[in-house]
Amino acid sequence: MNNPLGPEEAPPAPLHDPWSDRPDWSGRPDGPPWPDVSPWPARSVPTDRREQLYAPAAPAPGWGWDGWEPEPEPAPAVPPPRAAESAESGARDGDAWAEPDDDVYLAVHATPEFQRVRRRYRRFVVPAALAFLAWYLSYVVAATVAPELMGRRVAGPVNVALLAGLGQFATTFLLTWAYARHARLRRDPAALDLRWDIAMRTRRADGYVDSRSNPPREPGR
Amino acid sequence: MTGEHQKLALLLFCAFVALTLAITLWAGRRRHGSPEEFYAGGRLFTPMENGFAISGDYMSAASFLGISGLIALYGYDGVLYSVGFLVAWLVVLLFVAELVRNCGRFTLADVVASRLRRPQVRFAAGISSVTVSVLYLVAQMVGAGSLVALLAGGHTGTGARTAAVAGVGALMVTYVVLGGMRATTWIQIVKAVLLLAGALTLTVLVLLRFHGDVGALLESAAGRSGHGADFLAPGLAYGGGVTDRLDFLSLGIALVLGTAGLPHILARFYTVPTATSARRSVVWSIGLIGGFYLMTIVLGFGAAALVGGDAVRADDPSGNMAVPLLALDLGGGAASTGGTVLFAVVAAVAFATILAVVAGITLASSASVAHDLYATVRRSRARRRGDRTAGDADGAGAGEVAVARVAAAVIGALAIGLGLLARDLNVAFLVGLAFAVAASANLPVLLYALFWRRFTARGALWAVYGGLGPAVLLVVFSPVVSGSPDALFPGVDFHVFPLQNPGLVSVPLGFLAGWLGTVTSAEPADPVRHAKTEVRALTGAGAA
């Protein structure tokens, strides 16, 4: 992809993600001053799942995704210089804003697992939001445009307006409950799996030593 | 109000201040000055704690005294405020809480900047966050001043008001500078418990008075108000001309869309470890806030029924005294011990409410100044010097927190000054204004950054400034600032915009400007950043 800013407007150095937890060592070729210690806690992943993660994944078309090799070369303990890295990945050559883990995220974005999480989120949130906004706006508009209708008595002193107001409270509580339930049952497990995948893959993209050259401890063994 | 009431209220309030200062010292005793600790309290609060703190941050004195007062005076039209303030939380729950927790680190600008990667974008989002916070802060300061004036019986000089505003300012700066987010959160939790307990006590007493018969309560409120059945239907406050109705619509839009753009509310989601906890915090707070606003409705109608509209209006024309007067009546009248105690409790709780809210806003705005504005300037200066390592997030940490502490003090001073200047403005109205600016300047850029694939940096700049500019300008040229008897400058008249609340115009303008800036942008959108943002937002990968 071309640099969106054009060559002459490009900043002199890649702007480091200002709140990334990974410091920008591009200005220091000697790399970070700490020993190579795995930053991630060991977690057991079922073998078939791990195969699935590290199998050469289907490439995301157009992004130069060339899959994961099953066994990495002895990885350097320090991140390689930024320029060499983007040249290797080939996906975002010359892009001043590229980051080493971009390809990981793109690959995950293309996976059916992520697309399913995204679809489930949108399929719930968009209709729910349209419904409650329409319900709220019609309530406010009715109060300003048709006060006679709203003032019609239903039972004793209780009129349409009071019922509609209490209805707003009730629908808010109901939708909150439904959303929390939907998210907990339909999205959370898949999202956690994906987060774990990305954490593992990002380490490799960063050039940290892969867990399999330093295998995770299996609990209970 | 007699000296007895004031003495007891003052005593209770001093107890609260002492408690909060103890919390601050306790929270600050083991601090090590990291940004995580100062801005986010170490991110280790539980969803329940955070849910209470969010409620404590959100339920201001304006809603406790103001909304009940509006209901007591105008009946049903006040209920619309309660509904708007609650429904707004659905926007937060569905679109903002989890995604912001996953994509940001400390502030709203983090989310936008992580999607668009331009220092100018972070700076713009920082500017609008600070503007919203200062407006909201001024509203609370004005509230503190009028509360003191009200509780002292309305015939105090400016001295007591000034002292109250300055005292609130000094306390909030102390909390934030010494205790950071940890102290602020615990103060908000304590305040939320006190406020809910106070409201619950009064609600139960009101219902007991009517033997649990809500119908009788409503009948009695309608009868005593002098409006009859109209009291229970919309139209008393906003039923005037077309302008009135449009103003109400404008307020309704600002309320429901503004909450999701309030920087101090967004900052609260960073105090929990994961997006799941952020969601559960919002579920807690929706329960607490919904319960609270239901109680304000009972209190408002209770005040109309038991105290009567005329008595409420006699003490304060805008109705803010409805709940204190109701407490006096429920306790057994002005001469009784019960009345004195309840009145003092309500007064102290209202003051505690203001303190907790201002602490949260001061912290959020100091985070915006240090983390967004100062850090951007520092980094761009360093880049110009050719020092490429100066932008490191870790190296900036301690220095940034020191800047944030100074910023808290400066913002405190600014809020005291503006609070004294604007002391005659209506509190609920000022809060509505802050919501309108938040909905116009912060919400469009946030939603576009999270959801729109084609969004560009130019679109982000346009969205922020295209929402912020019109919102502020429309306020300047509205009847609030000039041309009406209760305006900021009553002597002159340069108002051209008829509505008091700009939301109806400025919110669509903010969304429109963001769209326009994006489609006219020469630079193509970066699909990689969008994909990355989507993955991070929905999975929490790489979240701080």
Side-chain angles (χ1 to χ4, degrees), chain A residues 4-5 15 97, chain B residues 113 116-123 457 523:
Chain A
L5 285 181
L15 183 71
W97 310 96
Chain B
L116 297 159
R117 316 303 303 270
R118 296 292 188 282
Q120 309 92 295
V121 171
R122 176 184 286 278
F123 194 82
E523 161 199 11

Side-chain angles (χ1 to χ4, degrees), chain A residues 19 99 101 109 121 161 179, chain B residues 76 94 98 103 532 534 536:
Chain A
W19 53 270
E99 287 171 325
D101 57 2
H109 191 261
Y121 172 72
Y179 173 79
Chain B
Y76 188 77
L94 265 55
E98 291 169 61
C103 289
K532 205 168 172 180
E534 268 198 333
R536 293 185 39 186

Side-chain angles (χ1 to χ4, degrees), chain A residues 13 15 17-19 92 97 99 101-102 109 118 121-122 125 136 139 144 159 161 179 183 188 195, chain B residues 76 94-95 98 103 105 114 117 122 232 245 248 252 279 379 383 388 526 529 532 534 536 540:
Chain A
L15 183 71
D17 179 356
W19 53 270
R92 311 186 71 192
W97 310 96
E99 287 171 325
D101 57 2
D102 280 353
H109 191 261
R118 178 169 176 257
Y121 172 72
R122 296 209 163 176
V125 162
Y136 173 75
Y139 166 75
T144 50
N159 55 24
Y179 173 79
D188 280 356
R195 183 177 187 171
Chain B
Y76 188 77
L94 265 55
F95 291 110
E98 291 169 61
C103 289
R105 202 167 164 212
S114 85
R117 316 303 303 270
R122 176 184 286 278
L232 302 178
R245 294 175 188 211
F248 179 72
R279 182 203 311 141
R379 262 195 293 269
R383 246 200 329 277
R388 294 169 75 196
D526 186 344
R529 302 276 351 143
K532 205 168 172 180
E534 268 198 333
R536 293 185 39 186

